[in-house]
Amino acid sequence: MNLNDVYSALSKIGSLTITTLDEGTMHSRIISICGGDDDGIYFLTMDVKPFYRQLKSNPQISICGIYPSGRKEGKNAAGQPYWPPGFMLRITGEAREVSNAEIHDKAAAGSELHQYSQDEAARYPAMKLFCMFKGKGELFDYDFELENRDHKLLRKRFAFGGETAGAAGTRIDPDKCVACGECSEACTFNAIVEGDVYQVLGERCDECGSCIIACPVEAIECSKTM
Ligand code: SF4
Ligand code: SF4
């Protein structure tokens, strides 16, 4: 996924939760992302708000959201709550305030996002633009009822601004696996490939742990990233 794909997914969600750290205490609030370009993902706030003060004292932020936002009424064939296909998105990284000179230059170069920021600042003088310039995250695409494919999950990890994305999913140690098949039997996510040694398809794995419990030789490790 590139930043364009990330921004498209954020736009589809609409309102997102953003969390800041204020002297060790987390604060969450709802924001709307106002744009994205090659330099990052942008949002607005006002310099008189605690949100602004928190961002200036500690640039670490975390963003997450889900689409569609509501849990659908009703049950599936097994009598469990029904989730329509959708996705969750989360990103952890850092944000910086965008200078007036940068806003001006990008607006002059044709950026609608930066022109919008200028217009907002003209209406609300305390308005400030921030850019999440580096981060890493995951798009967690789910289809729990297998309406559109033969596996429940598709996890797409991404990173930008110099960050590195880690691999998702549990891992089978090939030196320990005796190919008994117990893990594959236990996995309801169709995430394990059979072979001389078995393998986990990380992008399909929910990290639910059923295979770890089922394996008789303790060959499967939890995910160590994110
Ligand atoms: S952790 Fe769960 S989803 Fe992942 S491979 Fe094991 S059983 Fe399947
Ligand atoms: S349960 Fe353990 S030993 Fe058996 S196939 Fe899976 S990883 Fe290999």
Side-chain angles (χ1 to χ4, degrees), residues 2 22 33 42 73 81 83 99-100 123 126 160 179 181 184 190 197 211 214:
N2 59 32
D22 185 14
I33 299 294
Y42 296 85
E73 297 290 326
W83 287 73
S99 70
N100 288 337
R123 290 194 324 146
F160 56 96
S184 185
N190 198 11
V197 291
C211 57

Side-chain angles (χ1 to χ4, degrees), residues 96-147:
R96 64 175 174 84
E97 183 176 353
V98 183
S99 70
N100 288 337
E102 185 178 337
I103 293 170
H104 177 270
D105 289 350
K106 286 197 173 185
S111 165
E112 290 182 12
L113 154 67
H114 292 82
Q115 182 62 56
Y116 170 71
S117 176
Q118 273 190 330
D119 294 345
E120 285 293 281
R123 290 194 324 146
Y124 302 105
M127 192 71 82
K128 301 296 178 192
L129 183 66
F130 277 80
C131 175
M132 187 179 196
F133 64 96
K134 73 174 181 180
K136 54 186 175 182
E138 177 178 271
L139 189 138
F140 189 89
D141 183 310
Y142 53 86
D143 182 0
F144 294 125
E145 304 299 332
L146 306 180
E147 293 175 41

Side-chain angles (χ1 to χ4, degrees), residues 168-182:
T170 55
R171 180 185 168 275
I172 295 175
D173 184 339
D175 294 329
K176 292 184 180 173
C177 177
V178 295
C180 68
E182 294 291 334

Side-chain angles (χ1 to χ4, degrees), residues 170 183 186-192 200 204-212 220:
T170 55
C183 54
C187 181
T188 65
F189 289 82
N190 198 11
I192 297 180
V200 174
R204 296 187 183 188
C205 174
D206 183 49
E207 299 171 357
C208 70
S210 297
C211 57
I212 296 173
I220 308 177

